[in-house]
Amino acid sequence: MIVKDKVSWVRLLFHFRGSSFMETWPRILAVTVVAIIVTYVELYYHIQEYTLTTTPFTLIGVALGIFLGFRNNASYDKFWEGRKLWGALVNTSRNLTRQACFVIDSSHDAEELQHFREVLVKRLIAYVHALRCHLRNEETAEEIKKFLPSEDWTSVVESKHRPLAILQLLGRDLAVARDRRWLSERSFPFMDAQLNELTNILGACERIKNTPIPFSYSVLIHRIVASYCLALPFGLVETTGVLTPVVVLLISYAFFELDAIGDEIENPFGLQPNDLPLTAISRNIEINLLELIGDPDRPEALKPENDILL
């Protein structure tokens, strides 16, 4: 995700990194070339049999704007819900680590308890990284290897659903703490509720990822935008004359960009410039949790704009 400090209005006009222009410029160029050809034929050969008025384009343009706005709102709702879920993941992981440090009875063997806390928290960090890789269809084995004991790492890697397998290990840890009287019967439900919240976050993120906007709707929008922009010079040439290609260029830029933005943010967990900075968020969670348990081996934080480079 690209996060910029406030820049001047003029600089934003010429800023292309993070915009959809690199994806849409061939389409814009194509309809502009068509507009140039139509304008040339109309003005120099006076072929007017296929000339249209602006009325149908006005009517279709209003409807098209409504459709694009609805689709972009639906895509942004998915983007914003994904961000809220990862914000909840940050809070839940911190709460679970804090409870592991202070709710577990410290009257027992201090060294054994410290080891237990470290194992629990590192499994939690492994879950965060595994969830990120799971949502991005990336390989998780090396990402989580340093956070899990070798026998647990083997079982997780062999699992078909690695984040869920790590949650199973975390649940087993809490059960062990309860059976050894490190965790009271009164405190156990509070920590188990945090694991339930992690499960809910996992399921909600999978719902966002696996439920795209209906394909038929996306196809319809793409076809209408392309047809509208290609036919636009036939309705403008009598009114705008030699400036028709310029007008078509501006209008097609607006419609193609809006269409592309809806496609880009539909899946907020990807690696495109405007997707959520999951790598930076998961790295910050790792730093926070290691700091809470006093582990000095902590990585450096990442800036959100660097996330797309990882």
Side-chain angles (χ1 to χ4, degrees):
M1 182 178 184
I2 295 178
V3 179
K4 288 288 185 184
D5 295 330
K6 189 174 181 180
V7 296
S8 68
W9 183 82
V10 176
R11 288 185 61 188
L12 282 177
L13 290 178
F14 301 98
H15 189 81
F16 294 103
R17 181 173 177 263
S19 72
S20 301
F21 181 74
M22 299 307 296
E23 177 186 349
T24 59
W25 74 263
R27 310 171 206 171
I28 298 170
L29 179 62
V31 297
T32 303
V33 170
V34 171
I36 293 173
I37 295 173
V38 171
T39 303
Y40 178 80
V41 171
E42 169 69 22
L43 295 182
Y44 289 93
Y45 293 96
H46 304 288
I47 301 176
Q48 299 180 349
E49 287 82 358
Y50 303 104
T51 301
L52 302 173
T53 66
T54 58
T55 302
F57 295 96
T58 302
L59 297 176
I60 296 174
V62 172
L64 182 56
I66 294 173
F67 287 147
L68 285 173
F70 173 79
R71 182 174 180 276
N72 284 2
N73 284 339
S75 296
Y76 186 78
D77 285 343
K78 297 179 66 176
F79 176 88
W80 183 238
E81 185 181 0
R83 183 60 187 91
K84 289 193 293 184
L85 288 169
W86 272 77
L89 178 62
V90 173
N91 294 337
T92 303
S93 60
R94 290 171 178 171
N95 285 333
L96 187 57
T97 301
R98 176 179 53 81
Q99 291 172 346
C101 291
F102 298 107
V103 174
I104 294 178
D105 189 355
S106 59
S107 63
H108 299 274
D109 187 342
E111 184 176 348
E112 188 176 11
L113 283 176
Q114 180 62 23
H115 176 70
F116 172 80
R117 291 190 184 102
E118 290 180 358
V119 171
L120 177 69
V121 172
K122 288 185 177 180
R123 278 183 179 144
L124 182 55
I125 295 172
Y127 167 79
V128 173
H129 288 299
L131 175 59
R132 185 193 77 244
C133 295
H134 175 68
L135 296 175
R136 288 178 167 177
N137 298 320
E138 296 176 334
E139 177 56 44
T140 62
E142 294 303 318
E143 283 279 351
I144 64 178
K145 187 173 185 179
K146 64 179 180 179
F147 300 111
L148 296 173
S150 57
E151 63 276 8
D152 291 338
W153 178 78
T154 301
S155 65
V156 168
V157 170
E158 292 176 352
S159 173
K160 294 182 179 180
H161 199 301
R162 294 174 183 177
L164 190 59
I166 297 175
L167 282 177
Q168 186 77 358
L169 294 175
L170 288 168
R172 187 187 67 185
D173 288 341
L174 293 186
V176 169
R178 180 191 58 189
D179 295 340
R180 294 184 181 182
R181 306 290 183 181
W182 296 347
L183 190 61
S184 67
E185 292 292 340
R186 179 179 297 180
S187 300
F188 177 81
F190 293 102
M191 297 190 69
D192 187 60
Q194 303 300 324
L195 294 187
N196 291 338
E197 181 63 20
L198 293 177
T199 305
N200 293 336
I201 292 171
L202 169 61
C205 288
E206 288 179 328
R207 170 173 51 80
I208 293 174
K209 175 189 174 185
N210 298 326
T211 311
I213 293 174
F215 180 72
S216 59
Y217 190 85
S218 297
V219 170
L220 177 62
I221 290 293
H222 292 338
R223 287 175 178 171
I224 293 177
V225 170
S227 301
Y228 181 88
C229 293
L230 285 171
L232 191 58
F234 295 96
L236 294 178
V237 66
E238 281 193 353
T239 306
T240 56
V242 294
L243 294 178
T244 298
V246 177
V247 177
V248 170
L249 172 66
L250 296 176
I251 295 176
S252 63
Y253 170 78
F255 281 128
F256 281 130
E257 284 286 297
L258 286 172
D259 188 24
I261 289 172
D263 278 341
E264 184 172 350
I265 65 174
E266 182 181 353
N267 177 19
F269 306 128
L271 288 167
Q272 292 180 298
N274 290 300
D275 289 330
L276 293 174
L278 301 189
T279 304
I281 295 174
S282 55
R283 177 70 66 84
N284 287 334
I285 292 175
E286 177 184 346
I287 294 170
N288 294 157
L289 301 195
L290 291 177
E291 184 176 4
L292 288 175
I293 62 174
D295 192 324
D297 187 18
R298 300 191 291 269
E300 294 183 358
L302 295 174
K303 293 183 179 180
E305 59 263 37
N306 292 336
D307 190 34
I308 61 172
L309 302 178
L310 299 177

